[in-house]
Amino acid sequence: MGHSIGRGEALVLAHYYAPDAVQAAADFVGDSFALAQRAVESDKPVIVFCGVSFMGESAKILCPEKRVYLPVPDAHCPMADMASEKEILHMRAAVDDLAVVVYVNSSARLKALSDVVVTSANAVKVVSRLKEKNIYFIPDKNLGAFVAAQLPEKHFYFGHGCCPIHDAATVSEVDAAMHAHPRALLLAHAECPAQVRSRAAFVGSTAGMIAFAERSDGREFLVATEAGVLYELRRRCPGKQFFTTRADFLCADMKKITPEAVQRVFAGDAAPVEVDENIAVRARRALMRMLELAR
Ligand code: 13P
Ligand code: SF4
């Protein structure tokens, strides 16, 4: 399909939800915010992004001069399309003094229609710095509610999207896990439903959960997020114990990414990510605004 890629030409990025062997072989592992930042800072001409498609797409939009490859282009976050242009246009016409805030787990097309992009690591800070009083937060209703609870000075309208894997976390499974591990602190991703978040000692992004566990005096932790994060938690905190709140807390799309798929990229057997230039120009503005406001 193309020329092989030298290992020295490429920055290999992996999300914390990628399989352990993929994380182990990456140059940098992070949450979606840190990965986007690292892509921008890189001086390598190639990025191999071991994540779902919106992550590679965002890296290409932010770094148009680089060749960006997704080892598995059809590893796709189902939340990415859980909002529509029609809904955004309707809200813009109906509500004055409105900012359309789009979670990074979204298609490039949705980002292009937004005023600013956020990730779970920076959403509170970025939205707090917007001048608009009214916020239309899409697609994730759970992350939106988490942000809204911390910014009472803003008025929020929410989308109807969610992560099917995090939204499926229930109070009963969390309570059962806490009963089985009575000394454990609960760390919840902000994509979890409100009742699960309300039981947590920490709520935030994957990187936030890892940082909390590292600095905490706790010895045992339950994590309400995708099980891939256990790899970095155990690597960084060897004396502490970590468990997920349910045995199958897994994102099937993230788990499609294999070391063999990464090797195929290096062998030249993959096409680089392309984003329509009209969409990319507008999406880049919204992503760059996130990077500025999150500083
Ligand atoms: P982070 O921004 O915490 O990496 O989360 C991304 C994601 O897809 C969560 O499900
Ligand atoms: Fe999307 Fe959920 Fe998978 Fe994250 S865990 S990539 S939000 S489906």
Side-chain angles (χ1 to χ4, degrees):
M1 196 178 266
H3 296 293
S4 62
I5 297 165
R7 186 62 183 83
E9 281 182 86
L11 174 73
V12 179
L13 298 174
H15 189 268
Y16 292 125
Y17 297 163
D20 295 0
V22 173
Q23 292 190 47
D27 296 317
F28 178 77
V29 186
D31 71 356
S32 28
F33 182 40
L35 290 168
Q37 285 177 312
R38 194 50 80 100
V40 170
E41 286 160 11
S42 173
D43 55 7
K44 303 269 175 82
V46 174
I47 293 174
V48 179
F49 209 128
C50 306
V52 286
S53 55
F54 78 79
M55 295 178 174
E57 220 173 57
S58 297
K60 178 64 187 174
I61 292 166
L62 281 166
C63 314
E65 74 291 356
K66 297 188 171 104
R67 278 181 292 143
V68 177
Y69 294 89
L70 284 157
V72 184
D74 76 346
H76 186 65
C77 172
M79 184 163 35
D81 298 306
M82 290 187 191
S84 72
E85 175 163 9
K86 197 171 154 207
E87 290 162 332
I88 295 173
L89 296 179
H90 169 78
M91 288 298 291
R92 286 206 188 276
V95 182
D96 285 336
D97 194 22
L98 181 79
V100 176
V101 176
V102 168
Y103 187 29
V104 73
N105 292 42
S106 55
S107 64
R109 196 178 51 81
L110 287 177
K111 290 183 179 78
L113 294 164
S114 76
D115 294 305
V116 68
V117 172
V118 294
T119 77
S120 55
N122 61 38
V124 173
K125 189 190 234 182
V126 169
V127 176
S128 76
R129 291 178 168 178
L130 297 176
K131 64 178 191 329
E132 291 86 353
K133 165 100 180 144
N134 297 311
I135 306 297
Y136 182 38
F137 195 104
I138 49 175
D140 190 353
K141 60 181 180 177
N142 292 325
L143 175 63
F146 169 70
V147 176
Q150 292 169 76
L151 300 174
E153 69 278 18
K154 302 277 188 194
H155 183 78
F156 279 75
Y157 299 85
F158 302 110
H160 49 77
C162 63
C163 163
I165 292 109
H166 285 87
D167 194 56
T170 64
V171 170
S172 54
E173 76 191 11
V174 167
D175 286 350
M178 290 173 88
H179 188 72
H181 301 280
R183 283 184 300 280
L185 294 173
L186 177 67
L187 315 178
H189 197 277
E191 291 176 5
C192 290
Q195 281 189 309
V196 170
R197 296 196 310 270
S198 71
R199 281 162 161 71
F202 175 83
V203 180
S205 73
T206 46
M209 295 162 90
I210 294 165
F212 181 93
E214 257 191 319
R215 64 174 185 264
S216 168
D217 292 334
R219 310 305 299 163
E220 223 179 300
F221 300 85
L222 278 163
V223 295
T225 197
E226 215 276 350
V229 80
L230 295 174
Y231 179 77
E232 184 70 5
L233 283 166
R234 289 173 179 154
R235 200 182 69 77
R236 289 230 215 143
C237 311
K240 300 182 182 180
Q241 281 194 295
F242 298 94
F243 311 91
T244 51
T245 48
R246 70 170 187 266
D248 63 343
F249 218 131
L250 295 169
C251 174
D253 282 86
M254 286 284 192
K255 295 307 189 233
K256 288 177 183 170
I257 305 153
T258 59
E260 294 71 31
V262 178
Q263 275 166 22
R264 283 196 291 275
V265 172
F266 282 101
D269 189 12
V273 174
E274 301 284 357
V275 182
D276 177 276
E277 192 48 26
N278 282 327
I279 291 175
V281 167
R282 288 180 292 147
R284 188 174 305 129
R285 207 179 300 143
L287 277 161
M288 292 302 291
R289 195 159 177 224
M290 169 185 84
L291 295 179
E292 279 154 30
L293 292 176
R295 256 191 221 132

